[in-house]
Amino acid sequence: MSRGKLLQIKRKITATQSLKKITKAMEMVSTAQIKKVEKRLRMAREFLAETSRMVSQVHFDVKHPFVTGNGKSALIVIGTDMGLCGSFPTEIVKRAQTLDKKENFDFIYVVGAKITPVFKNNPKVVRIYEHEYDTPTFDFTKTVINDVLSNNVANVKVVYGKFKSKLAQLPDVYTLTPIKLEEGQPKGDRYEFEPIEEAFQRHLLEFYASSVLFSLAFETKISELYARQNAMRNATENAEEVVRLLTVDYNKVRQASITQELIEIVTGADALKEE
């Protein structure tokens, strides 16, 4: 009985140690990816800042739905393609569902295979993007904006993962359209545009919306990586604690087995003496 229990505990220790190696490796992979994505995130923010500066120099008088807000509403949910990042994807889903109940969007666009099962049977979902990128690309966000425009959408909100710190990644909501210029913003100078001015303004508005979505996708990506790094670190620490507790149990059972064997030896010796 004791030998069987010892073998069972030993197997658990071996399995937990193997699991610890996997979680430790995944933590290291996430750390390496973070360094790469953080650099691109800075570039995406700079890209958005420059695009915003360009928009501030133009006086928009085009009747575009992204400016007028006259049209249907849509929710874009940016999630993750992979799991093992704690409750991060779940929190994004909860925030999106709460927002949809409150505002009752006409359409929903879902980004990320991990959150797809929750929205798959939702009749409002018109497009699901799974495994579209390892790191966000501008071409992808431009595709999403084009898909939104094809359904005559004017009011767009985005639920994404906001990066607050290495230990805090929370879902947040960003109002993408209608695009509002800040009070006191310069109207900009009049220029000769090629193509014609109206076409230029329309393209610039769509380019700006794609740039904002591009930045939000990167925010979500870096949040995902930090969430996974933290989850794997916690899993590794928990595995170490489990191994410690199992080792204590193993030693207790082993000691009890040795004690029992000694008792049997002494009892047998006494029996022989009596004979």
Coordinates of all heavy atoms in Angstrom, one line a residue, residues 136-189:
P136 N 0.0 43.2 -35.1 CA -0.9 43.9 -35.9 C -0.3 44.6 -37.1 O 0.9 45.0 -37.0 CB -1.5 45.0 -34.9 CG -1.3 44.4 -33.6 CD 0.0 43.6 -33.6
T137 N -1.0 44.7 -38.2 CA -0.5 45.3 -39.4 C -1.5 46.4 -39.8 O -2.7 46.3 -39.6 CB -0.4 44.3 -40.6 OG1 -1.6 43.8 -40.9 CG2 0.6 43.2 -40.2
F138 N -1.0 47.4 -40.5 CA -1.9 48.5 -40.9 C -2.9 48.0 -42.0 O -4.0 48.4 -42.1 CB -1.1 49.7 -41.5 CG -1.9 50.9 -41.8 CD1 -2.3 51.7 -40.8 CD2 -2.3 51.2 -43.1 CE1 -3.1 52.8 -41.1 CE2 -3.0 52.3 -43.4 CZ -3.5 53.1 -42.4
D139 N -2.4 47.1 -42.8 CA -3.3 46.5 -43.9 C -4.5 45.8 -43.3 O -5.6 45.9 -43.8 CB -2.5 45.5 -44.7 CG -1.5 46.2 -45.7 OD1 -1.7 47.4 -45.9 OD2 -0.6 45.5 -46.2
F140 N -4.3 45.2 -42.2 CA -5.4 44.5 -41.5 C -6.4 45.5 -41.0 O -7.6 45.3 -41.2 CB -4.9 43.6 -40.4 CG -6.1 43.1 -39.5 CD1 -6.9 42.1 -40.0 CD2 -6.3 43.6 -38.3 CE1 -8.0 41.6 -39.3 CE2 -7.3 43.1 -37.5 CZ -8.2 42.1 -38.0
T141 N -6.0 46.5 -40.3 CA -6.9 47.5 -39.7 C -7.6 48.2 -40.8 O -8.8 48.6 -40.7 CB -6.2 48.4 -38.8 OG1 -5.1 49.1 -39.4 CG2 -5.6 47.7 -37.5
K142 N -6.9 48.5 -41.9 CA -7.5 49.1 -43.1 C -8.7 48.2 -43.6 O -9.7 48.7 -44.0 CB -6.5 49.4 -44.1 CG -7.0 50.3 -45.3 CD -5.9 50.6 -46.3 CE -6.4 51.4 -47.4 NZ -5.3 51.7 -48.4
T143 N -8.4 46.9 -43.6 CA -9.4 46.0 -44.1 C -10.7 46.1 -43.2 O -11.8 46.0 -43.7 CB -8.9 44.6 -44.1 OG1 -7.8 44.5 -45.0 CG2 -10.0 43.6 -44.5
V144 N -10.5 46.1 -41.9 CA -11.6 46.2 -41.0 C -12.4 47.5 -41.2 O -13.7 47.4 -41.3 CB -11.1 46.2 -39.5 CG1 -12.3 46.3 -38.5 CG2 -10.4 44.9 -39.2
I145 N -11.7 48.6 -41.4 CA -12.4 49.9 -41.7 C -13.2 49.8 -43.0 O -14.4 50.3 -43.0 CB -11.4 51.0 -41.7 CG1 -10.8 51.2 -40.3 CG2 -12.1 52.3 -42.1 CD1 -11.8 51.5 -39.2
N146 N -12.6 49.2 -44.0 CA -13.4 49.0 -45.3 C -14.6 48.2 -45.1 O -15.7 48.4 -45.7 CB -12.4 48.4 -46.3 CG -11.4 49.4 -46.8 OD1 -11.5 50.6 -46.7 ND2 -10.3 48.9 -47.3
D147 N -14.5 47.1 -44.3 CA -15.6 46.2 -44.0 C -16.7 47.0 -43.3 O -17.9 46.8 -43.5 CB -15.2 45.0 -43.2 CG -14.3 44.0 -44.0 OD1 -14.3 44.1 -45.2 OD2 -13.6 43.2 -43.4
V148 N -16.3 47.8 -42.3 CA -17.3 48.6 -41.6 C -18.0 49.6 -42.5 O -19.2 49.7 -42.5 CB -16.6 49.4 -40.5 CG1 -17.5 50.5 -39.9 CG2 -16.1 48.5 -39.4
L149 N -17.3 50.3 -43.4 CA -17.9 51.2 -44.3 C -18.8 50.5 -45.3 O -19.8 51.1 -45.7 CB -16.8 52.0 -45.1 CG -16.0 53.0 -44.3 CD1 -14.8 53.5 -45.1 CD2 -16.9 54.2 -44.0
S150 N -18.5 49.3 -45.7 CA -19.4 48.6 -46.6 C -20.8 48.3 -46.1 O -21.7 48.0 -46.9 CB -18.7 47.2 -47.0 OG -18.7 46.4 -45.9
N151 N -20.9 48.4 -44.8 CA -22.2 48.2 -44.1 C -22.9 49.5 -43.7 O -23.8 49.5 -42.9 CB -22.1 47.3 -42.9 CG -21.9 45.8 -43.3 OD1 -22.6 45.3 -44.2 ND2 -21.0 45.2 -42.7
N152 N -22.4 50.6 -44.3 CA -22.9 52.0 -44.0 C -22.9 52.3 -42.5 O -23.9 52.9 -42.0 CB -24.4 52.1 -44.5 CG -24.5 51.9 -46.0 OD1 -23.6 52.4 -46.8 ND2 -25.4 51.1 -46.5
V153 N -21.8 51.9 -41.9 CA -21.7 52.2 -40.4 C -21.1 53.6 -40.2 O -20.1 54.0 -40.9 CB -20.8 51.2 -39.8 CG1 -20.4 51.5 -38.3 CG2 -21.5 49.8 -39.8
A154 N -21.6 54.3 -39.3 CA -21.1 55.7 -39.0 C -20.6 55.8 -37.6 O -19.7 56.6 -37.3 CB -22.2 56.7 -39.3
N155 N -21.2 55.0 -36.7 CA -20.8 55.1 -35.3 C -20.1 53.8 -34.9 O -20.7 52.8 -34.9 CB -22.1 55.3 -34.4 CG -22.8 56.6 -34.8 OD1 -22.4 57.7 -34.4 ND2 -23.8 56.5 -35.6
V156 N -18.8 54.0 -34.5 CA -18.0 52.8 -34.2 C -17.4 52.9 -32.8 O -16.8 54.0 -32.5 CB -16.9 52.6 -35.2 CG1 -16.1 51.3 -34.9 CG2 -17.5 52.5 -36.6
K157 N -17.5 51.9 -32.0 CA -16.8 51.8 -30.7 C -16.0 50.6 -30.7 O -16.3 49.6 -31.3 CB -17.8 51.9 -29.6 CG -18.4 53.2 -29.3 CD -19.1 53.3 -28.0 CE -19.7 54.7 -27.8 NZ -20.4 54.9 -26.5
V158 N -14.8 50.7 -30.0 CA -13.9 49.6 -30.0 C -13.6 49.1 -28.6 O -13.3 50.0 -27.7 CB -12.5 50.0 -30.7 CG1 -11.6 48.8 -30.7 CG2 -12.8 50.5 -32.1
V159 N -13.8 47.9 -28.3 CA -13.4 47.3 -27.0 C -12.0 46.6 -27.2 O -11.9 45.8 -28.1 CB -14.4 46.3 -26.5 CG1 -13.9 45.6 -25.2 CG2 -15.7 46.9 -26.2
Y160 N -11.1 47.0 -26.4 CA -9.7 46.5 -26.6 C -9.0 46.4 -25.2 O -9.6 46.8 -24.2 CB -8.9 47.5 -27.5 CG -8.6 48.8 -26.8 CD1 -7.3 49.1 -26.3 CD2 -9.6 49.8 -26.6 CE1 -7.0 50.3 -25.7 CE2 -9.3 51.0 -26.0 CZ -8.0 51.3 -25.5 OH -7.8 52.4 -24.9
G161 N -7.8 45.8 -25.2 CA -7.1 45.7 -24.0 C -6.2 46.9 -23.8 O -5.2 47.0 -24.5
K162 N -6.4 47.7 -22.8 CA -5.6 48.9 -22.5 C -4.5 48.5 -21.6 O -4.6 47.9 -20.6 CB -6.5 50.0 -21.9 CG -5.7 51.3 -21.7 CD -6.6 52.4 -21.2 CE -5.9 53.7 -21.1 NZ -6.8 54.8 -20.6
F163 N -3.3 48.9 -22.1 CA -2.1 48.6 -21.3 C -1.8 49.7 -20.3 O -1.5 50.9 -20.7 CB -0.9 48.4 -22.2 CG 0.4 48.2 -21.5 CD1 0.7 47.1 -20.8 CD2 1.4 49.2 -21.5 CE1 1.9 46.9 -20.1 CE2 2.6 49.0 -20.8 CZ 2.8 47.9 -20.2
K164 N -2.0 49.4 -19.0 CA -1.8 50.4 -18.0 C -0.4 50.3 -17.3 O 0.3 51.2 -17.0 CB -2.9 50.4 -16.9 CG -4.2 50.8 -17.5 CD -5.2 51.0 -16.3 CE -6.5 51.7 -16.8 NZ -7.4 51.9 -15.7
S165 N 0.0 49.0 -17.1 CA 1.3 48.7 -16.5 C 1.6 47.3 -16.8 O 0.8 46.5 -17.3 CB 1.3 49.0 -15.0 OG 0.5 48.1 -14.3
K166 N 2.8 46.8 -16.3 CA 3.2 45.4 -16.5 C 2.3 44.5 -15.8 O 2.2 43.3 -16.2 CB 4.6 45.3 -16.1 CG 5.6 46.0 -17.0 CD 7.0 45.8 -16.5 CE 8.0 46.5 -17.4 NZ 9.5 46.3 -16.9
L167 N 1.6 45.0 -14.7 CA 0.8 44.1 -13.9 C -0.7 44.4 -14.1 O -1.5 43.7 -13.5 CB 1.2 44.2 -12.4 CG 2.6 43.8 -12.0 CD1 2.8 44.1 -10.6 CD2 2.8 42.4 -12.4
A168 N -1.0 45.4 -14.9 CA -2.4 45.8 -15.1 C -2.8 46.0 -16.5 O -2.3 46.9 -17.2 CB -2.7 47.1 -14.3
Q169 N -3.6 45.1 -17.1 CA -4.1 45.2 -18.4 C -5.6 45.0 -18.4 O -6.1 43.9 -18.0 CB -3.5 44.1 -19.3 CG -1.9 44.0 -19.3 CD -1.4 43.2 -18.2 OE1 -1.9 42.3 -17.7 NE2 -0.2 43.7 -17.6
L170 N -6.3 46.1 -18.7 CA -7.7 46.1 -18.5 C -8.5 46.4 -19.8 O -8.0 47.2 -20.6 CB -8.1 47.2 -17.4 CG -7.4 47.0 -16.1 CD1 -7.8 48.2 -15.2 CD2 -7.9 45.7 -15.4
P171 N -9.7 45.8 -20.0 CA -10.4 46.2 -21.1 C -10.9 47.6 -21.1 O -11.3 48.1 -20.0 CB -11.6 45.2 -21.1 CG -11.7 44.8 -19.6 CD -10.3 44.9 -19.1
D172 N -11.0 48.3 -22.2 CA -11.4 49.7 -22.3 C -12.2 49.9 -23.5 O -12.2 49.0 -24.4 CB -10.2 50.6 -22.2 CG -10.6 52.0 -21.8 OD1 -11.8 52.2 -21.4 OD2 -9.7 52.9 -21.7
V173 N -12.9 51.0 -23.6 CA -13.8 51.3 -24.7 C -13.3 52.6 -25.4 O -13.0 53.6 -24.7 CB -15.2 51.5 -24.3 CG1 -16.1 51.9 -25.5 CG2 -15.8 50.2 -23.7
Y174 N -13.1 52.6 -26.7 CA -12.7 53.8 -27.4 C -13.7 54.1 -28.5 O -14.1 53.2 -29.3 CB -11.3 53.5 -28.1 CG -10.7 54.8 -28.7 CD1 -9.9 55.6 -28.0 CD2 -11.0 55.1 -30.1 CE1 -9.3 56.7 -28.6 CE2 -10.5 56.2 -30.6 CZ -9.6 57.0 -29.9 OH -9.1 58.2 -30.5
T175 N -14.1 55.4 -28.5 CA -15.1 55.8 -29.5 C -14.3 56.2 -30.8 O -13.7 57.3 -30.8 CB -15.9 57.0 -29.0 OG1 -16.6 56.7 -27.8 CG2 -16.9 57.5 -30.1
L176 N -14.4 55.4 -31.8 CA -13.6 55.6 -33.0 C -14.2 56.6 -33.9 O -13.6 57.5 -34.5 CB -13.4 54.2 -33.7 CG -12.5 54.2 -35.0 CD1 -11.1 54.6 -34.6 CD2 -12.6 52.9 -35.6
T177 N -15.5 56.5 -34.1 CA -16.3 57.4 -34.9 C -17.6 57.7 -34.2 O -18.1 56.9 -33.5 CB -16.5 56.9 -36.3 OG1 -17.4 55.8 -36.3 CG2 -15.2 56.6 -37.0
P178 N -18.2 58.9 -34.4 CA -17.8 59.9 -35.3 C -16.5 60.7 -34.8 O -16.4 60.8 -33.6 CB -19.0 60.9 -35.4 CG -19.7 60.6 -34.1 CD -19.5 59.2 -33.8
I179 N -15.7 61.0 -35.8 CA -14.4 61.7 -35.4 C -14.8 63.2 -35.1 O -15.4 63.9 -35.9 CB -13.5 61.7 -36.6 CG1 -13.1 60.2 -36.9 CG2 -12.2 62.5 -36.3 CD1 -12.3 60.0 -38.2
K180 N -14.3 63.6 -33.9 CA -14.6 65.0 -33.5 C -13.3 65.7 -33.3 O -12.4 65.3 -32.7 CB -15.3 65.0 -32.1 CG -16.7 64.3 -32.2 CD -17.4 64.3 -30.9 CE -18.8 63.7 -30.9 NZ -19.5 63.7 -29.6
L181 N -13.2 66.9 -33.9 CA -12.1 67.8 -33.8 C -12.2 68.5 -32.5 O -13.3 68.9 -32.0 CB -12.0 68.8 -35.0 CG -11.9 68.2 -36.4 CD1 -11.9 69.3 -37.4 CD2 -10.7 67.3 -36.5
E182 N -11.0 68.7 -31.9 CA -11.0 69.4 -30.6 C -11.4 70.9 -30.7 O -11.2 71.5 -31.8 CB -9.6 69.3 -29.9 CG -9.2 67.8 -29.6 CD -7.9 67.7 -29.0 OE1 -7.2 68.8 -28.8 OE2 -7.4 66.6 -28.7
E183 N -11.9 71.4 -29.7 CA -12.2 72.9 -29.7 C -11.0 73.7 -29.9 O -10.0 73.4 -29.2 CB -13.0 73.3 -28.4 CG -14.3 72.7 -28.2 CD -15.3 73.2 -29.3 OE1 -15.2 74.3 -29.7 OE2 -16.2 72.4 -29.7
G184 N -11.1 74.7 -30.7 CA -9.9 75.5 -30.9 C -8.9 75.0 -31.9 O -7.8 75.5 -32.0
Q185 N -9.2 73.8 -32.5 CA -8.2 73.2 -33.4 C -8.1 74.1 -34.6 O -9.1 74.5 -35.2 CB -8.7 71.8 -33.7 CG -7.7 71.0 -34.5 CD -8.2 69.5 -34.7 OE1 -9.4 69.3 -34.8 NE2 -7.3 68.6 -34.7
P186 N -6.9 74.3 -35.1 CA -6.8 75.1 -36.3 C -7.5 74.5 -37.5 O -7.5 73.3 -37.7 CB -5.2 75.1 -36.6 CG -4.7 73.9 -35.8 CD -5.6 73.8 -34.7
K187 N -8.1 75.4 -38.3 CA -8.8 74.9 -39.5 C -7.9 74.5 -40.6 O -8.3 73.7 -41.5 CB -9.7 76.0 -40.0 CG -10.8 76.4 -39.0 CD -11.8 75.3 -38.7 CE -12.9 75.7 -37.8 NZ -13.8 74.6 -37.5
G188 N -6.7 74.9 -40.6 CA -5.7 74.5 -41.6 C -5.8 75.4 -42.8 O -6.7 76.2 -43.0
D189 N -4.8 75.4 -43.7 CA -4.8 76.2 -44.9 C -5.4 75.5 -46.0 O -5.5 74.2 -46.0 CB -3.3 76.5 -45.2 CG -2.6 77.3 -44.1 OD1 -3.3 78.1 -43.5 OD2 -1.4 77.1 -43.8

